[in-house]
Amino acid sequence: ILNVEQSPQSLHVQEGDSTNFTCSFPSSNFYALHWYRWETAKSPEALFVMTLNGDEKKKGRISATLNTKEGYSYLYIKGSQPEDSATYLCAFIQGAQKLVFGQGTRLTINP
Amino acid sequence: EAQVTQNPRYLITVTGKKLTVTCSQNMNHEYMSWYRQDPGLGLRQIYYSMNVEVTDKGDVPEGYKVSRKEKRNFPLILESPSPNQTSLYFCASGTDAATNEKLFFGSGTQLSVL
């Protein structure tokens, strides 16, 4: 079973502060990396799909970077708001079809 | 509206009583998959399907069956549920069997096996 690690497991951030967290994955035979945002009592929703080394994606205040050679991706949130509170999941695809999720980073924004 | 419809949302059953969780998507997606979510373990893949009549095991397939007779439907069957199958289940679908496009998730099924 592929090992996809997310750190930290949980994070408390003051409203207005910026934050980031990490997804680590095997660096061999990389195919794609997904980031999902999962709010309590809802379904996970896709943020980014990243396929190329050096990719940077941005959606509003959230951005992500990808380093396939060293096997990590960072997710950044600028100026955190209470609505950013959620669990952020990364999913790694090695080869085709085999999609493996990390255990998630649970983010809580304190007003 | 593009969506993945999963039913039921909540289910309480007893050990050994066969059950089916349905999943249907209206986006003509080739790829569909089932996951279970347990505390501290992330989403673990149970089964996936790349197209009609093509299914394959994920990481935790024991105790589950699936079928893909039509493109839109991918039911999850528990022939003889056991308490260790108590979990939150998600169905997901995607355009691409190679999953370099995002997945769309159903609303989840919280299953309790007594």
Side-chain angles (χ1 to χ4, degrees):
Chain A
I1 294 179
L2 299 171
N3 205 24
V4 181
E5 297 284 339
Q6 289 188 247
S7 63
Q9 287 194 20
S10 67
L11 191 54
H12 290 254
V13 174
Q14 208 61 33
E15 182 177 351
D17 287 352
S18 296
T19 187
N20 66 85
F21 29 93
T22 308
C23 173
S24 301
F25 50 85
S27 55
S28 61
N29 201 20
F30 175 88
Y31 195 86
L33 187 90
H34 295 202
W35 279 101
Y36 291 85
R37 171 194 156 88
W38 183 18
E39 290 180 73
T40 303
K42 294 188 178 180
S43 312
E45 288 187 354
L47 288 171
F48 306 114
V49 175
M50 309 178 81
T51 56
L52 296 174
N53 184 43
D55 250 358
E56 284 192 37
K57 301 247 179 174
K58 189 174 180 182
K59 188 175 184 178
R61 294 178 292 100
I62 304 177
S63 60
T65 61
L66 178 67
N67 184 324
T68 61
K69 295 187 189 308
E70 295 181 41
Y72 65 84
S73 175
Y74 292 138
L75 191 81
Y76 300 90
I77 301 178
K78 188 177 177 182
S80 303
Q81 300 297 309
E83 59 266 29
D84 295 330
S85 294
T87 296
Y88 291 83
L89 298 167
C90 69
F92 169 71
I93 299 93
Q94 187 181 61
Q97 299 98 42
K98 187 65 176 173
L99 192 153
V100 177
F101 281 86
Q103 73 273 50
T105 292
R106 187 171 187 151
L107 176 65
T108 304
I109 307 300
N110 301 316
Chain B
E1 181 191 353
Q3 60 185 359
V4 178
T5 303
Q6 192 179 329
N7 282 299
R9 191 78 187 265
Y10 302 95
L11 180 57
I12 301 174
T13 190
V14 295
T15 298
K17 186 175 181 182
K18 180 180 177 179
L19 67 91
T20 299
V21 185
T22 63
C23 176
S24 180
Q25 48 92 6
N26 63 359
M27 295 169 278
N28 201 36
H29 285 166
E30 290 183 349
Y31 182 87
M32 297 185 76
S33 185
W34 276 103
Y35 300 90
R36 59 179 289 173
Q37 162 69 36
D38 300 293
L41 292 178
L43 288 168
R44 292 183 294 167
Q45 191 177 50
I46 303 170
Y47 269 95
Y48 63 95
S49 169
M50 293 184 286
N51 214 325
V52 175
E53 302 292 359
V54 181
T55 63
D56 211 342
K57 295 178 181 178
D59 293 318
V60 287
E62 295 77 22
Y64 304 94
K65 283 175 57 177
V66 292
S67 68
R68 188 93 182 272
K69 294 176 183 170
E70 307 164 280
K71 201 170 190 179
R72 63 184 292 124
N73 295 323
F74 191 45
L76 180 70
I77 303 156
L78 284 72
E79 295 271 3
S80 182
S82 62
N84 64 12
Q85 292 178 299
T86 292
S87 188
L88 176 61
Y89 292 85
F90 283 103
C91 176
S93 73
T95 55
D96 191 318
T99 62
N100 64 354
E101 298 288 334
K102 66 180 180 181
L103 294 180
F104 293 79
F105 282 84
S107 52
T109 296
Q110 181 65 59
L111 172 65
S112 295
V113 183
L114 305 176

